[in-house]
Amino acid sequence: MYNQPAKVTDLQSGTHERLWSLMSSGLGSYVLAVILIAMPLLIGGSWIFALGVCFANSIGVLAVSVLVRYGGEVSIGHAFFAAVGAYSVAILDTRYGLSILLSVPLALLLGVISGVAFAWPSRKLSGIYLAVSTMALALAVPELINNADALTGGYEGLYVSRPLIPGVPMSYQRYYVALVVLIAAVYALSRFRQSRQGLAILLAKTHPAAADAFGTRQVWARIAIMGISGGIAALCGSMLAFAGSTVSPSGYTLWSSIFLLVGSVVSFYGLTLPRALIGGAFLTLVPQFLSASGAWIPVFYGLALLGMILLGHYLPRLKAMIADRKEAR
């Protein structure tokens, strides 16, 4: 008589686990994508703008996270690659009248080339040495932009105004284009994780000797992943230019690179849509929520960052404790 409730409990527990596994495997991302597609019907113009910028920052979070996950390295200079993408779009829009349909693929290509060009001379650096070398990129960005003011607009920057689809309000275009590029980046990374090339690069990170035996040298794997990361960061910059409508040197400083790294940490280096949005929201929406706090903004932002890090550290332990208690029952 007492076995039946136990069977029912086990059945319910198994059902919950299957549902959780289903949500974790991708259904949650699909539901979230549908919600975000319908979101402009429910919110005002200022929030549409903020979410568009949030999507762009989420792409930058992905760029840093993929470098950590596949390369095992940390970058504090990804604002350089973002600036490459942003100014590619802005210059082609302002100077040559090209829409993002043509400028974004070029920005992606230039980002990949820039990543490979940086990775080749620094291919034997790792750890803190590589991080400091990427910092040099971030420090150089504002000066490079200002010294090429005839092309980049210098301190004043450039304004991105050319629509992708004439006649459609620009607020919706800035929102949906950034969202589509974010979803495309997440999908591409999910396919990359399942590909032979992705597995080879991951093997080069975790087991270099085994990777060498299969013909994948660690040096080439690191160059490849830096190129991929640089390309995604350039997509971030191109979407920041389009969703934010302007580009200027102040948007691509060392602090911009540091905040992208912070967003990656907050997202726990995840490469899924929910994780990327967590990092992007922490960079974009949290400061907006704290805007009324005045001088206390840095304090509250620091506390929020500390809380997220502690949550990521202790949440797996709490889940394990809860699972152990359920098994004990």
Side-chain angles (χ1 to χ4, degrees), residues 146-230:
N146 290 325
N147 288 328
D149 58 341
L151 186 64
T152 63
Y155 292 101
E156 295 182 0
L158 298 172
Y159 182 68
V160 180
S161 59
R162 190 168 299 276
L164 176 63
I165 304 175
V168 178
M170 280 298 293
S171 59
Y172 289 117
Q173 293 196 46
R174 298 185 195 280
Y175 178 94
Y176 282 113
V177 169
L179 176 59
V180 167
V181 172
L182 171 60
I183 293 174
V186 170
Y187 177 76
L189 287 174
S190 70
R191 301 294 298 175
F192 178 71
R193 287 197 300 271
Q194 301 169 8
S195 68
R196 179 183 300 179
Q197 293 78 12
L199 293 175
I201 291 175
L202 191 59
L203 182 64
K205 170 198 168 187
T206 55
H207 301 287
D212 285 340
F214 284 99
T216 303
R217 296 182 58 190
Q218 187 179 27
V219 170
W220 293 110
R222 293 177 62 186
I223 292 174
I225 201 61
M226 180 61 81
I228 293 171
S229 181

Side-chain angles (χ1 to χ4, degrees), residues 67 73-78 80-81 84 110-138 219 222-227 229-230:
L67 181 63
E73 301 294 347
V74 172
S75 170
I76 48 178
H78 262 51
F80 174 86
F81 305 114
V84 169
L110 291 176
V112 172
I113 293 173
S114 300
V116 172
F118 168 78
W120 173 252
S122 60
R123 62 190 180 276
K124 295 186 178 180
L125 298 179
S126 61
I128 188 64
Y129 300 102
L130 182 63
V132 171
S133 65
T134 60
M135 183 179 71
L137 290 176
V219 170
R222 293 177 62 186
I223 292 174
I225 201 61
M226 180 61 81
S229 181

Side-chain angles (χ1 to χ4, degrees), residues 1-12:
M1 295 178 60
Y2 296 98
N3 291 334
Q4 186 64 25
K7 290 181 180 179
V8 172
T9 303
D10 291 341
L11 180 61
Q12 291 176 343

Side-chain angles (χ1 to χ4, degrees), residues 10-306:
D10 291 341
L11 180 61
Q12 291 176 343
S13 177
T15 302
H16 292 160
E17 290 177 0
R18 286 192 295 271
L19 287 174
W20 176 255
S21 176
L22 189 60
M23 291 291 289
S24 300
S25 64
L27 180 59
S29 296
Y30 290 122
V31 173
L32 180 59
V34 171
I35 293 173
L36 292 174
I37 291 171
M39 189 68 72
L41 302 176
L42 307 174
I43 58 178
S46 62
W47 280 107
I48 292 176
F49 174 81
L51 284 174
V53 176
C54 175
F55 300 152
N57 280 323
S58 298
I59 300 171
V61 168
L62 285 174
V64 178
S65 296
V66 75
L67 181 63
V68 175
R69 293 284 294 271
Y70 285 88
E73 301 294 347
V74 172
S75 170
I76 48 178
H78 262 51
F80 174 86
F81 305 114
V84 169
Y87 276 91
S88 297
V89 168
I91 291 171
L92 291 176
D93 179 291
T94 305
R95 311 295 188 196
Y96 301 100
L98 298 179
S99 73
I100 60 169
L101 191 63
L102 298 175
S103 59
V104 169
L106 178 61
L108 173 61
L109 177 61
L110 291 176
V112 172
I113 293 173
S114 300
V116 172
F118 168 78
W120 173 252
S122 60
R123 62 190 180 276
K124 295 186 178 180
L125 298 179
S126 61
I128 188 64
Y129 300 102
L130 182 63
V132 171
S133 65
T134 60
M135 183 179 71
L137 290 176
L139 291 173
V141 169
E143 295 304 322
L144 291 174
I145 294 172
N146 290 325
N147 288 328
D149 58 341
L151 186 64
T152 63
Y155 292 101
E156 295 182 0
L158 298 172
Y159 182 68
V160 180
S161 59
R162 190 168 299 276
L164 176 63
I165 304 175
V168 178
M170 280 298 293
S171 59
Y172 289 117
Q173 293 196 46
R174 298 185 195 280
Y175 178 94
Y176 282 113
V177 169
L179 176 59
V180 167
V181 172
L182 171 60
I183 293 174
V186 170
Y187 177 76
L189 287 174
S190 70
R191 301 294 298 175
F192 178 71
R193 287 197 300 271
Q194 301 169 8
S195 68
R196 179 183 300 179
Q197 293 78 12
L199 293 175
I201 291 175
L202 191 59
L203 182 64
K205 170 198 168 187
T206 55
H207 301 287
D212 285 340
F214 284 99
T216 303
R217 296 182 58 190
Q218 187 179 27
V219 170
W220 293 110
R222 293 177 62 186
I223 292 174
I225 201 61
M226 180 61 81
I228 293 171
S229 181
I232 297 173
L235 284 180
C236 163
S238 65
M239 288 302 100
L240 283 173
F242 186 73
S245 73
T246 59
V247 293
S248 65
S250 61
Y252 304 96
T253 62
L254 175 61
W255 278 110
S256 303
S257 298
I258 292 174
F259 278 118
L260 285 178
L261 178 59
V262 168
S264 179
V265 172
V266 168
S267 69
F268 312 120
Y269 309 115
L271 301 178
T272 62
L273 181 60
R275 292 284 191 90
L277 284 172
I278 289 173
F282 199 85
L283 299 183
T284 311
L285 302 182
V286 171
Q288 186 166 335
F289 284 125
L290 297 176
S291 59
S293 302
W296 288 92
I297 291 178
V299 176
F300 291 142
Y301 194 83
L303 290 174
L305 175 60
L306 179 61

